[in-house]
Amino acid sequence: MHSSERGSESFGVLLRFHRERAGMTQEGLGGHVGYSKSQVAMVERGERPPKGKLVETADQVLGAQGALLVLAEKEFGDSGLRPWTEDYLAEERKASALHVYQNHLIPGSLQTEAYARAIYNCHCPALDDEEIDKRVAARLARQRLFERKPMPIISYVLEQSTLTRPLGGPPALKEQLLHILDIGRLRHVEIQVMPHDRQVHAGLNGPMILLETAERRQLAYVEGPSGGYFVSEQPDLGDLFARYGILRAQALTPDESAKLIAEVADTL
């Protein structure tokens, strides 16, 4: 496993030792470093590497006197301080199952180049051309997921509004919808649409991504404007998986969804 994708039991034990010695809870430490309680727990169990400013901030607030910094450098090198996006993408690359609910945009792993570029062109604060090119290339690379062997189990639930928001203009949206139809024909992918007229809805709390690792361990990932976080502990993890199951039951079937997507594409 690449160093950017692994945790460290040694670092986790040391982090827990200093946290408990300082009389701080996992939730309390998470508040200082911008992590959820479950993320801190995953680092302490050695299931994920520390990201963002966790090492620097934890070393300071726990009074570790540089011990966490030294061990993180040994265990992770520069990868100990990589952005939170890398944490999720590392899991996505090796997931045995991926389930996505999105209510504002077409999910990143389904996006075409024109659609992705339109999103990054809207970024605030604005990005320069070089940065946009880099991010678009990284987003398109995620579609290797569909070609992996063994094939992962993949499903999506998309709000109908994502099919009609003309990001990049009508031609770009039409290309995007046709691409979704192509991906939906793969035998290991199911794409469903949540129609406007549903009076009951299990996903009103927002988007979510559910993953199953190669070891069949379940994870959930929730993303917001300032970053994202993993959920790995019960009952929150079970609640999110249950919510997604209800969403799939409330949405159109894959065949009905493909028909609706094709109809929207035909109007463009």
Side-chain angles (χ1 to χ4, degrees):
M1 185 180 294
H2 191 276
S3 62
S4 67
E5 300 177 7
R6 64 174 176 84
S8 163
E9 290 185 7
S10 298
F11 180 84
V13 168
L14 187 64
L15 177 64
R16 181 177 179 178
F17 168 78
H18 283 287
R19 177 181 61 77
E20 292 181 344
R21 191 183 68 168
M24 189 175 295
T25 64
Q26 291 176 337
E27 187 174 9
L29 178 58
H32 284 285
V33 300
Y35 273 41
S36 66
K37 176 184 175 182
S38 61
Q39 282 181 299
V40 173
M42 290 173 70
V43 174
E44 291 187 350
R45 291 195 298 266
E47 295 175 356
R48 58 165 283 172
K51 301 286 185 175
K53 296 295 183 181
L54 183 145
V55 177
E56 296 171 333
T57 304
D59 192 87
Q60 181 179 6
V61 301
L62 300 179
Q65 298 182 322
L68 292 174
L69 294 170
V70 171
L71 186 57
E73 178 63 27
K74 178 182 177 181
E75 293 288 298
F76 308 109
D78 292 338
S79 69
L81 302 175
R82 296 185 73 180
W84 57 267
T85 50
E86 286 297 320
D87 200 14
Y88 167 72
L89 293 177
E91 294 293 345
E92 183 181 87
R93 283 192 292 269
K94 59 187 179 180
S96 63
L98 175 70
H99 307 289
V100 181
Y101 166 63
Q102 182 56 263
N103 59 359
H104 291 305
L105 303 168
I106 301 301
S109 52
L110 283 175
Q111 290 175 11
T112 63
E113 179 176 356
Y115 189 92
R117 191 171 296 278
I119 291 173
Y120 287 126
N121 279 332
C122 296
H123 194 278
C124 185
L127 304 172
D128 60 37
D129 290 342
E130 183 178 356
E131 181 64 20
I132 290 175
D133 289 343
K134 187 189 306 182
R135 295 195 185 194
V136 169
R139 180 149 293 185
L140 294 178
R142 293 172 60 186
Q143 299 197 25
R144 295 172 188 157
L145 174 76
F146 303 118
E147 304 168 358
R148 267 187 27 214
K149 294 181 181 179
M151 295 184 295
I153 300 168
I154 304 172
S155 72
Y156 297 89
V157 176
L158 313 179
E159 288 292 334
Q160 187 174 347
S161 59
T162 65
L163 309 179
T164 56
R165 184 171 289 112
L167 293 174
L173 178 58
K174 182 168 186 173
E175 178 190 36
Q176 176 65 75
L177 297 180
L178 295 177
H179 178 66
I180 292 173
L181 290 173
D182 287 340
I183 297 297
R185 295 187 184 100
L186 298 174
R187 65 171 61 93
H188 61 299
V189 180
E190 289 195 339
I191 299 175
Q192 295 175 255
V193 175
M194 180 68 73
H196 290 315
D197 60 3
R198 285 291 186 263
Q199 295 185 16
V200 291
H201 197 307
L204 298 182
N205 287 341
M208 71 185 87
I209 301 175
L210 309 179
L211 304 106
E212 195 168 298
T213 69
E215 300 76 27
R216 300 301 177 182
R217 180 170 55 90
Q218 291 183 328
L219 286 173
Y221 185 74
V222 180
E223 194 171 69
S226 301
Y229 61 92
F230 282 104
V231 178
S232 63
E233 297 183 351
Q234 302 294 351
D236 295 338
L237 181 62
D239 289 345
L240 288 171
F241 271 83
R243 188 179 302 161
Y244 186 79
I246 296 171
L247 275 171
R248 293 196 69 180
Q250 293 170 338
L252 299 176
T253 67
D255 286 343
E256 293 169 340
S257 299
K259 181 179 179 181
L260 176 58
I261 294 170
E263 289 173 352
V264 176
D266 286 342
T267 65
L268 298 172

